[in-house]
Amino acid sequence: MQIVTAKEMYEIDRLTIEKGGVDGKLLMENAGRSIVNHMLPIIDRTKSILVLVGGGNNGGDGFVIARTLLTDGYDVLVVQLVPDYKIKGEAAYHKQLWLNFGGIVHVFQDTSMIRRYLLDADIVVDAMLGIGISGEVRQPLKDVIGLVNQVEALTISVDIPSGLPADEGESHFEAVVADYTFIVEHPKMSLFLESCSPFYGKWEVVKIGLFHSNLSSGSRIAWRERDVKRTLPKRSRNSHKGTHGRGLVIGGSSTMPGSIAMTLKAALRSGAGLITGGTINEVFSSIASHCVEATYLPLLGKAGAMTTQPVDVSMYNAIAIGMGMGRNEETAAFTRQLVKDVTKPILIDADGLHHIKDDLASISQRKQPTILTPHPGEMAMLTGISVREILLHPFEVSKQFAYEHNVYLVLKGPHTIITDPNGNQLVNTTGNQGLAKGGSGDVLSGVLLAMIMQEQSMIEALANGCFIHGKSADLLISSHRSTEDLLATDVIDGLASVFRTL
Ligand SMILES: NC(=O)C1=CN([C@@H]2O[C@H](COP(=O)(O)OP(=O)(O)OC[C@H]3O[C@@H](n4cnc5c(N)ncnc54)[C@H](O)[C@@H]3O)[C@@H](O)[C@H]2O)[C@@H](O)CC1
Ligand SMILES: Nc1ncnc2c1ncn2[C@@H]1O[C@H](COP(=O)(O)OP(=O)(O)O)[C@@H](O)[C@H]1O
Ligand SMILES: [K+]
């Protein structure tokens, strides 16, 4: 499912009309009708429906929705928020159809009129502003958006909640807080931004028959279950433990022994053939009892943390480093040296990211894939860009960084963005706030390590790992866990139910 900017969406519209020969009026009809089909399970004939129509094509969709519902016997009222002369083109055509079919258009007079209609409505269809918004919302729409957000009625937004930007980078907006949004054809970038996603409510993408095209701006795809099912390698009946990779996890320190244990266990639970934990002597005993299936590589420690030493990694297919290592300077030097020497794919997380912060130039020279898995705070530390700016432009910041440093970047969050060194991006669609707890990242690293050792493209392996990790949390909170009590170790246990369905 391609994620688009407003500009890309207009380009796809244009191609559909010019190359595909599909009339814009037909597309609008398709959009309105498809949205009604998606609305039917959540509305019923006893409810009164108010359609708020703006001056662009989003409003045009609103006229089609109103007509489709009216002809199906629903109680529908249309309020047009702009003067008649502003309704043009395809929207004017569909307004005329609405009138031909016996519909009435109530033109906006003042906010008290809107307040009255809103109080009488059970359902509000928000077709005021779509992806054509520019600048701050003007009056009277600004007030109307405020009123829509005050009333009890169920709010259904068409394509995008009115007032919300489609793209990243906007920090000031006033928008409808929708209960449902039916997104036309492609999710817009803002659906995956922390500041914007709550406005969408529950969402679904409705297909209207647009042209399929490869955008010149590179691929940006929402990674869903069907993608995982398509790309996840199947375990052969004849496989042996060596087939699924031999992985090394380096981490842990006297104060943080648990994190490496979680990474080891998660890797094993995600199909890795053989996993070794590289950690200091004083940590072994405490973690070995938690993960008896792993083997261990003793490393030299000083003051409870790893110190500089050579490590033979020749027998491993991939390495994960950083979890629970601590920030000691000798540990940092050890990490930097290892990352430089190792000619295997290497995943760097947590403290490991701090250690390589000033060594990104040598990372970009690596011939084998380097995978960095920062959360926004770690990304800020790596880039010198504030967390606020990162969250405002996560797609752009990720793309620049991955390209500049020749790395695979997994920028973690409610919508984790995975970027390859060419700037292709996959966005995870699973996970919930139960994961916002210590240890979730360690588990993710283990799942990712297992994935990258199995045959699949690197970016898909990372996206599959993120999907599986989030899905485990989703299944757990839909059964016997809550977002409050969910623990990282539960997410490891939950991996079984995810793999059974894939
Ligand atoms: N080809 C088509 O006809 C299709 C149109 N579609 C719909 O069309 C929408 C995009 O249509 P448009 O490009 O006409 O854009 P919009 O419908 O988002 O709105 C543009 C209108 O809003 C006004 N406006 C812009 N910024 C404003 C602000 N800050 N405050 C107040 N008013 C403002 C403009 O004056 C203009 O009248 C999509 O979101 C989608 O709903 C889809 O149905 C897909 C197919
Ligand atoms: N609100 C949320 N919704 C969905 N996933 C989340 C949320 N918060 C965190 N996560 C996921 O949980 C993991 C947290 O990783 P990280 O921040 O490194 O945790 P830690 O360092 O505590 O182990 C990431 O995979 C992230 O995507
Ligand atoms: K809208």
Side-chain angles (χ1 to χ4, degrees), residues 3 192 219-224 228 370-374 394-395 398-399 402 407-413 415-430 444 448 452 457-468:
I3 300 165
F192 303 99
S219 81
R220 201 186 302 112
I221 289 167
W223 200 247
R224 293 177 299 169
V228 182
T370 312
I371 302 115
L372 307 186
T373 60
F395 288 96
S398 296
K399 204 168 173 167
V407 295
Y408 289 84
L409 186 79
V410 179
L411 179 58
K412 295 183 289 195
H415 302 284
T416 297
I417 302 174
I418 301 114
T419 309
D420 75 10
N422 295 321
N424 296 306
Q425 299 186 307
L426 302 179
V427 180
N428 186 33
T429 53
T430 58
L444 178 70
L448 296 180
I452 63 183
S457 93
M458 181 57 78
I459 187 170
E460 290 176 357
L462 296 171
N464 286 342
C466 292
F467 182 96
I468 289 164

Side-chain angles (χ1 to χ4, degrees), residues 58 126-130 157-163:
N58 195 255
D126 155 32
M128 295 185 276
L129 283 166
S157 288
V158 175
D159 197 24
I160 186 167
S162 293

Side-chain angles (χ1 to χ4, degrees), residues 359-401:
D359 225 20
L360 291 168
S362 78
I363 287 217
S364 60
Q365 301 303 316
R366 279 176 44 83
K367 298 280 179 284
Q368 293 288 326
T370 312
I371 302 115
L372 307 186
T373 60
H375 56 56
E378 288 159 343
M379 189 66 187
M381 176 274 299
L382 288 170
T383 56
I385 303 172
S386 70
V387 171
R388 187 179 167 280
E389 278 297 313
I390 289 167
L391 295 180
L392 209 51
H393 309 264
F395 288 96
E396 189 52 34
V397 170
S398 296
K399 204 168 173 167
Q400 291 276 347
F401 188 89

Side-chain angles (χ1 to χ4, degrees), residues 3-14 28 54-61 126-135 157-168 170 181-191 200 208 210:
I3 300 165
V4 295
T5 60
K7 188 164 166 240
E8 290 162 352
M9 188 68 193
Y10 284 123
E11 178 64 7
I12 295 171
D13 259 10
R14 190 187 62 76
M28 199 170 272
N57 287 336
N58 195 255
D61 294 347
D126 155 32
M128 295 185 276
L129 283 166
I131 60 170
I133 184 174
S134 67
S157 288
V158 175
D159 197 24
I160 186 167
S162 293
L164 204 67
D167 302 348
E168 63 181 347
E170 271 323 309
T181 301
F182 295 113
I183 301 169
V184 175
E185 198 81 12
H186 294 290
K188 317 300 178 286
M189 218 181 221
S190 64
L191 179 61
Y200 280 86
I208 68 162
L210 293 185

